[in-house]
């Protein structure tokens, strides 16, 4: 479930921002965390597959808890925690940014970009550009690298939409 992954990513980045005392990262990811967690909770209430969603939610919570215990009790040193948490968030964000590229296999097979959410892709491009600029301002490689991957992924998807425009549905006859 993408929103469980989003919650894990936002909470991890929120923690990273807190440790770095980066107000912008804290505010943005507090909002993102609240939205993702609220969505997961609402989805769990209304889902027909409550057991499956609850298992995934508990797994996400367990992963965050184990990460917290590992970093606080084993790593201990703040600079090392920031570095490891930054690397983890970089990997998680790159995975999230690059995963839409797998849908391009279907685009090529069907010669239609019908499955590509263009508004979402454009939003991802704009957001990645803004985070890239912010990453340069604060000189943070853990913000810069995922921003570049988000920009590249978005641009590739947009190129595929141009090359393989969505096929129009057959018009209904009345």
């Amino acid at each position: 479930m993408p929103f469980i992954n989003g919650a894990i990513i936002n909470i991890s980045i929120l923690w990273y921002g807190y440790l770095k005392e980066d107000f912008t990262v804290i505010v943005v990811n507090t909002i993102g965390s609240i939205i993702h967690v609220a969505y997961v909770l609402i989805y769990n209430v209304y889902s027909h597959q409550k057991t499956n969603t609850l298992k995934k939610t508990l797994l996400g919570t367990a992963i965050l808890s184990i990460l917290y215990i590992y970093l606080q009790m084993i790593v201990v040193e703040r600079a090392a925690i920031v570095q490891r948490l930054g690397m983890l968030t970089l990997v998680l964000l790159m995975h999230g940014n690059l995963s839409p590229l797998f849908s391009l296999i279907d685009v090529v097979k069907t010669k239609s970009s019908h499955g590509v959410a263009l508004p979402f892709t454009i939003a991802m491009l704009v957001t990645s550009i803004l985070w890239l600029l912010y990453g340069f301002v604060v000189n943070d490689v853990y913000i810069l690298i995922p921003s570049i991957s988000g920009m590249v992924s978005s641009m590739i998807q947009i190129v595929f939409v141009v090359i393989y425009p969505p096929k129009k549905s057959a018009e209904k006859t009345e």
Side-chain angles (χ1 to χ4, degrees), residues 24 30 34 41 82 88 90 106 116 126 131 161 173:
T24 302
T30 296
I34 290 168
L41 292 173
V82 168
L88 172 72
L90 180 147
D106 289 330
V116 177
V126 171
W131 277 113
V161 169
T173 56

Side-chain angles (χ1 to χ4, degrees), residues 70-87:
Y70 166 73
L71 291 174
Q72 294 295 341
M73 305 230 174
I74 296 174
V75 176
V76 181
E77 185 184 327
R78 187 179 183 108
I81 292 172
V82 168
Q83 188 270 334
R84 288 190 178 135
L85 195 54
M87 183 59 72

Side-chain angles (χ1 to χ4, degrees), residues 19-89:
L19 291 173
K20 285 202 66 174
E21 298 175 358
D22 187 324
F23 182 73
T24 302
V25 172
I26 292 170
V27 170
V28 169
N29 288 284
T30 296
I31 294 167
S33 296
I34 290 168
I35 290 169
H36 279 93
V37 169
Y39 180 85
V40 168
L41 292 173
I42 291 167
Y43 185 85
N44 281 337
V45 169
Y46 292 102
S47 174
H48 297 301
Q49 303 171 343
K50 290 189 187 311
T51 306
N52 190 29
T53 13
L54 187 58
K55 283 180 186 177
K56 289 178 182 177
T57 303
L58 291 174
L59 177 63
T61 304
I63 289 169
L64 283 173
S65 299
I66 290 167
L67 175 65
Y68 181 81
I69 291 167
Y70 166 73
L71 291 174
Q72 294 295 341
M73 305 230 174
I74 296 174
V75 176
V76 181
E77 185 184 327
R78 187 179 183 108
I81 292 172
V82 168
Q83 188 270 334
R84 288 190 178 135
L85 195 54
M87 183 59 72
L88 172 72
T89 59

